[in-house]
């Protein structure tokens, strides 16, 4: 997968217009993303938000000096490289600047070629540092940052998609019922890849106050409305260079859908009360638990926006369609909510958990486990510790396999998962007796043996699998 944002970001800070133009032009010909500021104050207030790789700083700036700006850049963005531009006879201060952490200095007036060579040299160094960092992060984040648990083929597909998307600017739409882990996946897309150290901004479109939505998203200028005493940066600008996660996108009112569409098309925002646009580059990850198709049909969601957001879509299946993940999730939540304790879960409890339909998906399972922990004795979780709702479900029929519920699920659950699950459950039911299990499953002993081998189920292992 290509890293589309491999372009170097250059910020030029000089009060002289001609110098800024010159530097911007040279940066442009090198393929850099260039921005400018005419003072240190502007650079600090706006320019640094895009986390530039290189900043060219004029040593003599009107108010705040170039040296002070250098100091502040280095403390805010340690990996940003700064080049000091000096006038005649200020070599001594340039040397001072080097001591403060400037990468190099260049004396005015300089030739285009001189600047170009210097930028090239810096670029090489920056790329090397970046590559190493990305590698390091990949190892770290894969291990711990997002912690998406599950081994079912369904979850593996989701993980594969994350792997393909993590380093791209491609807009992603994450779909899934409530509690399936949409936010977790959005974070994984961001933190597993090259964006990890850039901003990740979450916007809950369902929770935004309608009247403030636009200014929240795009910012406002001083005096834009009563109470706007200062201008304020919007969420899109805060996410510049990184990912904006638009949760519950289906809740966005039509009017703002149009504005969002424009941002995605033009890659520019316009703060409320302003008449100039600000360019922003953000990756948009949106999530919805609603059926957007219905919203498209009844006209409450714009089609053009939908196609923009849904360039790639990641569907997270409901938990009931990947029941084989349940035991692992249970143990993950035991770790999360009772760290350092060793708590057993009885086979009967696991069975109950695997039977439940989990309309609230993983979140409901997590709540159920934390409730069981709160009420239980912290040694063992048994049927009696689980919510009555779960227990009653199982009281009804004497296990018929597969149950109708699982027939439905079969259309979507990978057959292998379902088969393995079914065999495990039957086996448990008959206490590991292969003959009885074969009978119940309606398959010959030979077939049963083959399947046991294939799924690596051993009668002895079964107990372990369901209790540990
Ligand atoms: N595969 C998973 N592994 C571990 N934890 C998970 C997994 N999926 C979900 N969770 C946990 O379940 C809870 C709900 O997940 P999340 O908030 O991402 O769901 P959601 O789809 O955004 O839900 P909603 O639609 O209600 O906003 C979180 O605590 C999350 O950590
Ligand atoms: Mg969510």
């Amino acid at each position: 997968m290509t890293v589309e944002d491999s372009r170097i970001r250059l910020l030029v800070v000089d009060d002289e217009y001609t110098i800024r133009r010159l530097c911007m032009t040279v940066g442009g010909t090198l393929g850099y993303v260039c921005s400018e500021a005419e003072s240190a104050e502007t650079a600090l207030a706006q320019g640094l938000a895009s986390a530039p790789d290189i900043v060219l700083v004029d040593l003599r700036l009107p108010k705040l000096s170039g040296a002070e700006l250098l100091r502040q850049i280095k403390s805010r963005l340690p990996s940003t490289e700064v080049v000091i531009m000096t006038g005649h006879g200020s070599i001594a201060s340039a040397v001072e600047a080097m001591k403060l952490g400037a990468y190099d200095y260049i004396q005015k007036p300089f030739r285009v070629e001189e600047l170009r060579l210097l930028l090239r040299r810096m670029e090489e160094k920056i790329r090397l540092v970046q590559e190493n960092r990305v590698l390091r992060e990949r190892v770290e984040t894969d291990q711990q940052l997002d912690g998406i648990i599950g081994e079912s083929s369904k979850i593996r597909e989701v993980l594969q998609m994350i792997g393909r998307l993590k380093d791209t600017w491609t807009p992603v739409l994450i779909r899934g019922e409530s509690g399936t882990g949409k936010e977790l996946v959005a974070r994984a897309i961001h933190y597993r890849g090259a964006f990890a150290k850039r901003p990740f901004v979450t916007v809950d479109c369902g929770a935004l106050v309608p009247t403030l939505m636009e200014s929240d998203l795009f910012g406002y200028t001083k005096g834009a409305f009563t109470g706007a005493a200062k201008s304020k940066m919007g969420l899109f600008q805060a996410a510049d260079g990184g990912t904006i996660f638009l949760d519950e996108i289906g809740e966005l009112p039509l009017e703002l859908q149009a504005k969002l569409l424009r941002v995605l098309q033009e890659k520019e925002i316009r703060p409320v009360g302003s008449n100039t646009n600000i360019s922003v580059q953000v990756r948009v990850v949106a999530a919805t638990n609603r059926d957007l198709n219905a919203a498209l049909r009844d006209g409450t969601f714009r089609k053009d926006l939908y196609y923009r957001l849904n360039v790639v879509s990641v569907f997270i299946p409901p938990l009931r369609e990947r029941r084989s993940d349940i035991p692992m999730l249970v143990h993950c939540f035991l770790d999360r909510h009772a760290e350092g304790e060793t708590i057993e879960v009885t086979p009967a409890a696991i069975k109950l958990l695997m039977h439940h339909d989990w309309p609230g998906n993983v979140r409901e399972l997590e709540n159920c486990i934390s409730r069981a922990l709160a009420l239980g004795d912290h040694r063992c979780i048994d049927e009696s510790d689980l919510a009555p709702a779960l227990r009653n479900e199982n009281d009804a029929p004497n296990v018929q396999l597969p149950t109708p519920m699982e027939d439905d699920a079969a259309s979507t659950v990978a057959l292998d998962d379902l088969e393995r699950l079914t065999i495990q459950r039957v086996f448990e039911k008959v206490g590991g007796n292969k003959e009885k299990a074969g009978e119940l499953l309606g398959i010959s002993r030979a077939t049963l043996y083959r399947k046991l081998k294939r799924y690596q189920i051993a009668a002895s292992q079964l107990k372990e699998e369901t209790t540990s």
Side-chain angles (χ1 to χ4, degrees), residues 343-392:
I343 294 164
E344 308 287 341
V345 187
T346 65
I350 284 283
K351 185 170 149 191
L352 209 54
L353 293 167
M354 286 182 84
H355 258 82
H356 186 55
D357 262 351
W358 303 110
N361 294 291
V362 184
R363 181 179 295 112
E364 187 189 354
L365 175 61
E366 179 167 9
N367 291 342
C368 168
I369 296 300
S370 78
R371 177 186 177 278
L373 279 172
L375 300 178
D377 60 5
H378 270 245
R379 284 207 319 269
C380 179
I381 292 184
D382 200 1
E383 279 172 294
S384 57
D385 297 312
L386 300 170
L390 299 194
R391 257 178 290 141
N392 296 340

Side-chain angles (χ1 to χ4, degrees), residues 286-301:
T288 179
N289 56 20
R290 273 178 48 185
D291 177 11
L292 281 186
N293 281 313
L296 290 178
R297 275 193 303 274
D298 66 27
T300 51
F301 204 87

Side-chain angles (χ1 to χ4, degrees), residues 13-15 38-41 43-44 55-74 82-86 93-94 96-98 100-102:
V13 191
D14 199 311
D15 52 338
E38 77 294 336
S39 70
E41 288 79 3
L44 289 170
V55 188
L56 293 174
V57 176
D58 181 25
L59 193 57
R60 230 185 294 163
L61 288 167
K63 277 190 230 144
L64 210 58
S65 74
E68 183 49 31
L69 176 59
L70 163 67
R71 206 196 319 266
Q72 296 216 26
I73 293 174
K74 278 293 170 186
V82 179
V83 172
I84 294 292
M85 298 185 281
T86 65
S93 9
E96 273 307 299
M98 299 288 289
L100 284 174

